[in-house]
Amino acid sequence: MLAALLAALVLFTQPILAVDVALDPGHSRADIGSVGGGLREYQLTLDLARRVRTRLESAHLSVRLTREDDQPLSAYTNPLATEQIQAEQQPRIAAAVPSRIYVSLHFNVGPTQLRATETYFNPERAPEAATADYSLGALLQEHVVEALAAEVGYASLDRGVKSDLAAGKPYGHFFGLRGPVPSALVENLFLSNPDEGALLRDDATLDALADGCAQGVLEYLAGAPPAADGLE
Ligand SMILES: [Zn+2]
């Protein structure tokens, strides 16, 4: 009994290893996100995160996902309340660190005619941090759009790199961009657009998105400082 307790204590007190990349598959079963093409955003983001992880690990980077299954990391009593979505982002950040960067993966929702790719960063940070976030976001955006064109022949519009405030989106998910490391959120395609919803049923599209996200991360980290010891 005592041995079991001690073993549990050792396990509990072991430091969490720093990773190169934290990937946040947006949403969960409690907050399913956008829906389209017979797909649900929370399932698609986890699928995409796993594909990105495979690519980054092949490039010898260490990766952690903020969730490995469909469960939320916080208690939801009202899945539609923005405050609860915001509250969910704190354990997501906690699950992500220590890491060098944080990339949240999402699919967009809007009027059915809206389509294409956009990436968000948090402009409320100190100027240096906001610049790093913007650079990460710009590389993700560039390579996702590029990979869609090159690999599946889809000319996704470049909707650009945006800040949450300028976009006027009160989504709680942007609270995930308030962590301690360079952070960006990719809205890969619009699940609410019938054409893009259909594209997302195709594995080749998800592979293209994963290639684009992985390439953006690799290029960002190639120019970024290595993880500091004791980074939190
Ligand atoms: Zn989302």
Side-chain angles (χ1 to χ4, degrees), residues 2 4 11 14 18 44 84 108 122 130 136 141 168 179 191-192:
L2 185 62
L11 200 65
Q14 266 181 358
L44 210 52
Q84 299 218 347
N108 226 332
N122 175 10
L136 173 62
Q141 173 73 15
L191 208 40
S192 50

Side-chain angles (χ1 to χ4, degrees), residues 93-112:
I93 292 169
V97 294
S99 59
R100 292 170 70 189
I101 61 171
Y102 180 89
V103 177
S104 189
L105 299 169
H106 284 253
F107 293 87
N108 226 332
V109 62
T112 53

